[in-house]
Amino acid sequence: MLPRMQNLLANAPEANESAPIRHLIVVLGDQLDPASQAFEEFDAARDVIWMAEVRAESTHVWSHKARTALFFTAMRHFASAQRALGRRVDYWELPRSMAAGFEDLVSALTAGIHTYQPQRVVWVKPGDYRVETELKAALKRLSVPLIERADTHFLVDLEDFFDWAKGRREFRLEHFYRLFRKKLDVLMEAGEPVGGQWNFDAENRKSFGRKGPGVLPTPKRFAPDEITQAAIADVERYFPEHPGSTASFAWPVTPEQANAALDDFIQNRLAQYGVHQDAMWSDAPWLHHALISSALNLKLLHPMRVVRAAEAAFHQGLAPIAAVEGFIRQVLGWREFVRGLYWWRMPKYLSDNALNATLPLPDFFWTGKTDMRCMAQVLGQTLEHGYAHHIQRLMVTGNFALLLGVQPQQVHAWYLAVYVDAVEWVEMPNTLGMSQFADGGVIASKPYCASGKYIERMSNYCQGCRYQPELSTGASACPFTTLYWDFLERHADRFAKHPRSALQWRSRERLSSEQRAAIKAQAERLRLEFCGLKG
Ligand code: FAD
Ligand code: SF4
């Protein structure tokens, strides 16, 4: 017998070993929904739930320690809850899966199939194209029939998204959002949007002003229990060189905690959410954000529960319509929209590079060591907590990579690695599409690019920075501002005549030819300094 198979049998599950297995129910790390369709017609006498932690899922991108720890502990809590229901669970914790020689999900599942010889594998459609493709190919090789069930942990079925998308030249959130708000009857009154308008952006997205955010509510955090501590210990042992820290780990890891996190947001932060949605402030990572993305993405929390809780808060007078609409737009709008686009465009999405950006990602993205204060702040909290809010991701780190000209696939690998909420279906459209314009305008009608002046307006990061946001050349010039003008120049052919971007591009006409030449030379020097290469 092969040594690996011996090891596997030594670890085989305790109960009902000899009974023939009907369904091997595969539950992946981001499918931790106790009401999952995978358990439809579950038969405790004949079915086995199978779950595995494997090394490759933390190394195919260089995963932040807190991200890996969150997956492990949430999966372990889920397995334990399933066992408590009397269900048979074959769970491979990382030390055991490594001892058995399982490098990746394919090798682990292949061994599971050999052990159980199930009549069928049952799962919910995986959320990640790579995982789905690799596992389906393995099942085909092994000639095991598969029953794939729909993921009902979303608000919009993929088929409905595809029907909406068919034949469209442009995909705009606003069209999608209005249609599904009507269909799902969210914030609607007699067929009209509550508050008389669909979009309250004009009232949202203000900065904190000079006085700053004042006393901020402390969000509910969850001290690691024994299971979480063990998961963290495994991460520290097996991935010691990985980026990020687990020292402040306090994310929700069960459905109960996820619901408590949502309730805390609705009660204490939602009212202020909209107005300061885009604002940033030094050493204040959470502000008025919900901090529920990881719970949603691991399927600990259902998006409809989130949407209805926010809607109820409006009706109870807990939060104004602008805040509630702004929040619901993110969950019912953006989140569902990017998921549909991911499946609509994969696998092509992965290789998109509409702006032909080729530079390597600067090393300081992994260390936070840079004298750009805004970047140091956002990278610092990212490494500490595995969290940054949307505008920090889009207009600080994402904006910087875009302006510099970093190859979008490297930017994508970084975003997928460093956030606790990072799963590809939501991360990739946000990174390649919204942030890097690599899809050529599928998600965004023009690039989200801005100079240091935007960051100065929306934060206090520039105070105390060695650079000055209004300067584009010279020793104190803000790198964002230099690279911004250089970006406009480099991509003028594409955007200067486009109706949606022409106004922004026209602003460079006020620069003299000497200024343009000096900016170009300074941008070249920055590319050398940050990437060690010329653009
Ligand atoms: P809030 O600001 O309080 O928003 C509430 C919820 O709305 C979030 O929990 C999230 O589920 C949803 N949401 C908000 N914005 C978006 C969006 N643009 N797309 C999809 N859902 C949204 N989100 C992820 O969940 N995973 C990712 O890997 C991810 N990668 C991103 C990469 C880039 C480059 C950018 C620009 C954004 C990314 N986002 C990602 C979207 C967004 O930044 C996060 O969802 C949000 O910051 C999570 O924090 P929160 O729960 O406090 O969100
Ligand atoms: Fe960032 Fe430029 Fe402001 Fe410094 S001056 S914090 S680099 S935007």
Side-chain angles (χ1 to χ4, degrees):
M1 192 183 288
L2 294 169
R4 195 166 110 186
M5 195 53 78
Q6 269 173 350
N7 207 336
L8 179 72
L9 292 181
N11 285 315
E14 329 74 40
N16 288 339
E17 283 93 337
S18 53
I21 294 303
R22 183 185 65 147
H23 290 164
L24 190 67
I25 299 183
V26 172
V27 177
L28 299 168
D30 63 347
Q31 299 185 329
L32 310 180
D33 174 11
S36 164
Q37 297 289 100
F39 302 130
E40 216 176 67
E41 301 161 15
F42 186 87
D43 180 345
R46 295 186 295 161
D47 299 341
V48 172
I49 298 170
W50 180 92
M51 300 174 75
E53 300 166 8
V54 290
R55 190 172 171 80
E57 289 304 305
S58 295
T59 55
H60 89 279
V61 292
W62 200 33
S63 185
H64 191 300
K65 286 179 185 172
R67 176 175 180 257
T68 300
L70 176 57
F71 269 93
F72 286 2
T73 182
M75 288 169 72
R76 292 177 192 187
H77 278 92
F78 179 86
S80 156
Q82 290 299 315
R83 283 199 181 107
L85 294 174
R87 292 175 174 176
R88 191 170 156 196
V89 183
D90 184 15
Y91 190 98
W92 291 80
E93 291 191 359
L94 187 74
R96 194 175 148 224
S97 88
M98 295 215 11
F102 303 153
E103 262 299 313
D104 55 22
L105 280 170
V106 168
S107 57
L109 184 58
T110 302
I113 303 287
H114 284 315
T115 303
Y116 294 104
Q117 306 282 324
Q119 289 170 17
R120 292 175 207 92
V121 161
V122 177
W123 74 30
V124 160
K125 179 180 170 61
D128 184 307
Y129 181 89
R130 171 186 58 89
V131 170
E132 180 183 52
T133 315
E134 288 175 6
L135 290 184
K136 276 190 173 164
L139 293 180
K140 202 167 171 200
R141 277 196 301 278
L142 295 162
S143 307
V144 185
L146 169 69
I147 300 177
E148 178 168 275
R149 305 226 164 102
D151 193 338
T152 53
H153 218 268
F154 288 95
L155 302 174
V156 177
D157 290 344
L158 279 181
E159 289 66 32
D160 290 341
F161 182 91
F162 295 159
D163 283 347
W164 174 81
K166 246 176 251 154
R168 273 174 198 269
R169 280 182 46 239
E170 281 199 330
F171 300 88
R172 292 294 159 252
L173 170 82
E174 198 61 35
H175 305 150
F176 170 87
Y177 169 65
R178 290 183 189 189
L179 177 68
F180 284 96
R181 237 176 90 180
K182 276 191 241 166
K183 279 196 171 187
L184 297 167
D185 194 21
V186 172
L187 280 185
M188 298 298 295
E189 214 166 42
E192 294 300 320
V194 169
Q197 58 196 69
W198 292 98
N199 183 323
F200 288 82
D201 272 358
E203 293 176 40
N204 288 342
R205 301 172 174 182
K206 296 193 171 51
S207 74
F208 290 117
R210 284 183 177 280
K211 287 190 183 150
V215 180
L216 287 164
T218 308
K220 195 169 179 62
R221 310 276 289 151
F222 304 89
D225 63 6
E226 252 177 56
I227 295 179
T228 300
Q229 286 171 24
I232 289 174
D234 284 343
V235 170
E236 296 293 348
R237 179 168 165 218
Y238 288 96
F239 306 104
E241 75 296 351
H242 275 229
S245 165
T246 50
S248 65
F249 187 100
W251 296 103
V253 299
T254 62
E256 294 72 27
Q257 291 183 348
N259 277 296
L262 171 67
D263 293 344
D264 173 55
F265 165 69
I266 299 282
Q267 290 296 325
N268 301 316
R269 302 192 298 284
L270 173 61
Q272 289 296 312
Y273 175 83
V275 68
H276 298 308
Q277 204 173 328
D278 288 5
M280 302 174 276
W281 203 256
S282 298
D283 303 323
W286 320 124
L287 296 170
H288 300 284
H289 290 272
L291 315 178
I292 54 166
S293 46
S294 56
L296 277 166
N297 298 348
L298 297 188
K299 317 286 163 60
L300 304 177
L301 185 62
H302 198 284
M304 192 47 104
R305 155 113 170 82
V306 174
V307 164
R308 293 294 180 214
E311 204 179 13
F314 167 70
H315 291 301
Q316 290 158 11
L318 266 177
I321 185 66
V324 171
E325 189 284 313
F327 177 72
I328 286 179
R329 169 182 296 267
Q330 309 308 314
V331 180
L332 189 161
W334 281 111
R335 189 169 183 272
E336 299 289 328
F337 181 63
V338 299
R339 184 218 181 201
L341 276 181
Y342 174 78
W343 286 107
W344 180 253
R345 298 204 73 243
M346 280 300 278
K348 184 187 173 313
Y349 227 145
L350 200 47
S351 54
D352 279 350
N353 189 355
L355 300 182
N356 297 317
T358 55
L359 291 184
L361 189 78
D363 287 346
F364 64 72
F365 270 71
W366 298 105
T367 63
K369 290 193 178 125
T370 163
D371 52 11
M372 288 179 280
R373 193 152 180 274
C374 54
M375 289 291 279
Q377 279 281 324
V378 176
L379 294 170
Q381 73 170 67
T382 296
L383 293 167
E384 188 179 352
H385 301 294
Y387 179 83
H389 72 67
H390 185 67
I391 287 302
Q392 294 177 309
R393 299 187 205 196
L394 184 66
M395 299 311 291
V396 181
T397 42
N399 184 24
F400 185 79
L402 173 74
L403 298 178
L404 191 63
V406 179
Q407 193 210 26
Q409 283 65 33
Q410 296 196 32
V411 187
H412 153 58
W414 183 79
Y415 277 100
L416 189 55
V418 297
Y419 290 109
V420 289
D421 57 28
V423 282
E424 193 175 88
W425 63 262
V426 50
E427 176 278 329
M428 181 185 287
N430 270 295
T431 304
L432 293 187
M434 191 187 300
S435 161
Q436 301 301 299
F437 204 79
D439 63 10
V442 173
I443 281 202
S445 56
K446 65 187 184 76
Y448 281 94
C449 59
S451 74
K453 292 292 288 174
Y454 171 86
I455 294 173
E456 182 190 34
R457 193 165 68 249
M458 297 309 296
S459 75
N460 67 342
Y461 293 152
C462 302
Q463 291 167 25
C465 180
R466 65 159 279 217
Y467 302 111
Q468 292 180 32
E470 66 281 9
L471 297 182
S472 54
T473 54
S476 300
C478 165
F480 278 83
T481 304
T482 310
L483 292 168
Y484 172 73
W485 291 114
D486 179 67
F487 180 84
L488 295 193
E489 205 57 50
R490 285 194 292 126
H491 296 291
D493 285 352
R494 181 172 193 132
F495 297 110
K497 293 208 175 79
H498 193 284
R500 289 223 168 85
S501 47
L503 193 65
Q504 184 174 18
W505 255 257
R506 210 170 294 146
S507 62
R508 77 194 207 294
E509 287 167 10
R510 63 173 188 259
L511 299 176
S512 66
S513 54
E514 290 76 23
Q515 281 173 312
R516 288 182 194 198
I519 287 169
K520 187 169 182 228
Q522 181 135 344
E524 283 291 302
R525 286 195 295 278
L526 288 177
R527 277 192 274 277
L528 270 175
E529 179 190 332
F530 293 136
C531 310
L533 291 167
K534 281 198 177 185

